[in-house]
């Protein structure tokens, strides 16, 4: 169903009912024939649009009604077992690497130590030989003098002893004589010390590419003893800045800011604000951003490094922030307690969908649940892209969560609140051409996604169909009353209300 939903959603988004002027080109010269061909064309396009819409609606309804609790728990348990097997294997490889590196280094050190010992022995022996040679000379001279005292001509014998010279070469050492200071032997290293292990190091991308190739699922992060992979990844969003931040604590390097943010976990730190987007310095430090802080376009080239739980090994991501910056109020229940809970989710898409489909022990709530005996942590709410956006209850077959409702709160600094004015309309040049919607829900979503580029809606005849978007460049909150015209056809307009607590920004079509 999920695969079908993605397929149907892609097909639905690919449809465009208004491709003017390309789709209106025709070789017909007869006006009536041309107009009839256009009627047929747009009727077929409308049918295709509604077919795609209902197909997507049906598959989404089926997914919403599915009870996947048992299968999900089985999948989570299997994932936990796979993660444990992966950790065991990677720790084993780490151990082999450590043992091999130590052994190879010991092998080299052994040769170095033996040579150094030999050199020290040669020096000590040579010192002893020199001392013995002096001793030899002294003994020979004493022996000569003793013999001179017994000689017939003692004076001549003593003079001969004084003139005598004694060769000490008879006192020598083969060890010292054969010493060559450049003769240190080079040992033959074992093959593993030269070529390395046949398996890559677990802390490298090559390890995951070779050891887990062909598996149905991607490997988890490496938490083995020799891995330095962080459990978080930072995504750089260029051209953005937080609406507010705590300036009392600053960091002179991005690495220090990342360490501080990681220690707070995503529940306490949303990311890092780099004012010049060139790395932090003592003169221009970085600051932490608290969760829930809205982002706004930067006029000075700032950027935001958003922290997320890493989903891939050794991941570094640089991207641009989606132009649509929407907030949703998501309501969900718990099967083990009565009542519902509402969570406000920021930094979301205008067509977002939220679900509880898995458990995790990597969030703060997940770690708390794990400490209480729930091995798989807590249920986590994910958006359509699979990003974790909120925690649920502890993960078990009797405690699980379901989303029971979601309401678009607003986008790009505007609330999903509209002020309707009856019998009012704007001229065609004040509307965004080629954008027409058959339902007010779709029209509101698109207007919210455009941010300040869209002032509001106009419903021709105020009959709940045929909505046009009012251009936010020509019509603003300050001048709309002077631009609006009186309608004799009963047309009504809807003004989009700015959020007084947020900064209004430009969205994207």
């Amino acid at each position: 169903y999920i695969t079908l939903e993605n397929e149907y959603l892609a097909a639905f988004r690919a449809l465009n009912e208004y491709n003017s002027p390309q789709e209106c080109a025709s070789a017909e010269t007869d006006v009536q024939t041309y107009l009839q061909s256009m009627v047929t064309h747009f009727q077929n396009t409308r049918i295709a649009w509604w077919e795609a819409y209902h197909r997507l609606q049906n598959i989404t309804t089926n997914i919403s009604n599915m009870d996947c609790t048992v299968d999900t728990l089985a999948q989570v348990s299997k994932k936990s077992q796979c993660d444990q097997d992966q950790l065991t294997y990677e720790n084993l490889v780490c151990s082999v690497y450590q043992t091999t590196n130590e052994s190879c280094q010991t092998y080299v050190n052994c040769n170095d130590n033996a040579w150094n010992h030999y050199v020290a022995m040669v020096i000590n022996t040579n010192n002893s030989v020199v001392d013995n040679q002096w001793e030899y000379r002294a003994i020979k001279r004493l022996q000569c003098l003793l013999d001179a005292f017994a000689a017939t001509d003692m004076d001549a014998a003593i003079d001969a002893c004084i003139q005598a010279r004694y060769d000490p070469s008879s006192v020598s050492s083969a060890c010292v004589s054969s010493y060559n200071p450049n003769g240190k032997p080079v040992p033959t290293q074992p093959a593993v010390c030269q070529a390395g292990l046949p398996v890559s190091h677990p802390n490298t991308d090559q390890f995951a590419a070779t050891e887990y190739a062909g598996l149905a699922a991607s490997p988890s992060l490496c938490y083995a003893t020799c891995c330095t992979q962080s459990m978080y990844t930072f995504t750089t969003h260029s051209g953005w800045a937080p609406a507010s931040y705590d300036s009392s604590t600053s960091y002179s390097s991005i690495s220090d800011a990342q360490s501080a943010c990681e220690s707070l976990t995503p529940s306490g730190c949303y990311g890092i604000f780099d004012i010049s987007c060139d790395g932090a310095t003592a003169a221009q430090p970085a600051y932490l951003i608290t969760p829930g802080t809205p982002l706004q376009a930067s006029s000075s080239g700032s950027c935001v490094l958003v922290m997320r739980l890493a989903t891939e090994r050794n991941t570094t991501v640089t991207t641009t922030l989606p132009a649509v910056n929407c907030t949703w109020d998501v309501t969900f229940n718990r099967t083990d307690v009565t009542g519902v809970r509402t969570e406000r989710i920021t930094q979301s898409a205008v067509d977002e969908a939220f679900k509880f489909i898995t458990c995790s022990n990597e969030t703060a709530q997940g770690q708390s649940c794990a400490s209480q005996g729930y091995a798989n942590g807590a249920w986590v709410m994910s958006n359509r892209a699979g990003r974790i956006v909120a925690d649920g209850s502890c993960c078990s077959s009797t405690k699980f969560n379901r989303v029971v409702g979601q309401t678009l709160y607003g986008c790009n600094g505007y609330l999903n609140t509209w002020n309707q004015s009856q019998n009012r309309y704007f001229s065609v040049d004040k509307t965004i051409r080629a954008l027409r919607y058959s339902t007010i829900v779709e029209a509101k979503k698109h207007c919210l996604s455009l941010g300040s580029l869209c002032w509001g809606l106009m419903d021709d005849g105020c009959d709940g169909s045929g909505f046009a978007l009012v251009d936010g460049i020509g019509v603003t909150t300050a001048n709309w009353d002077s631009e609006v015209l009186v309608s004799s056809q009963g047309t009504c307009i809807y003004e989009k209300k700015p959020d007084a607590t947020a900064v209004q920004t430009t969205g994207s079509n």
Side-chain angles (χ1 to χ4, degrees), residues 225-262:
T225 54
C226 60
C227 290
T228 58
Q229 167 75 42
S230 170
M231 67 182 296
Y232 299 105
T233 183
F234 288 84
T235 303
T236 301
H237 299 302
S238 301
W240 290 84
S244 62
Y245 61 93
D246 180 11
S247 59
S248 62
T249 304
S250 61
Y251 301 89
S252 58
S253 71
I254 293 297
S255 60
D256 288 344
Q258 288 178 337
S259 298
C261 195
E262 289 180 3

Side-chain angles (χ1 to χ4, degrees), residues 45-102:
T45 303
R46 179 177 62 84
I47 292 171
W49 190 92
W50 281 109
E51 285 179 349
Y53 177 85
H54 288 303
R55 186 167 60 241
L56 179 60
Q57 184 181 45
N58 290 337
I59 193 68
T60 303
T61 301
N62 290 337
I63 291 175
S64 301
N65 293 332
M66 290 174 61
D67 185 358
C68 302
T69 305
V70 175
D71 292 337
T72 299
L73 286 174
Q75 188 270 339
V76 169
S77 297
K78 185 65 175 177
K79 176 79 165 51
S80 297
Q81 183 60 49
C82 288
D83 290 345
Q84 184 58 48
D85 293 343
Q86 176 185 331
L87 179 60
T88 301
Y89 174 57
E90 290 175 352
N91 272 330
L92 175 62
V93 178
C94 285
S95 176
V96 172
Y97 260 90
Q98 181 178 357
T99 303
T100 302
N101 290 339
E102 290 176 353

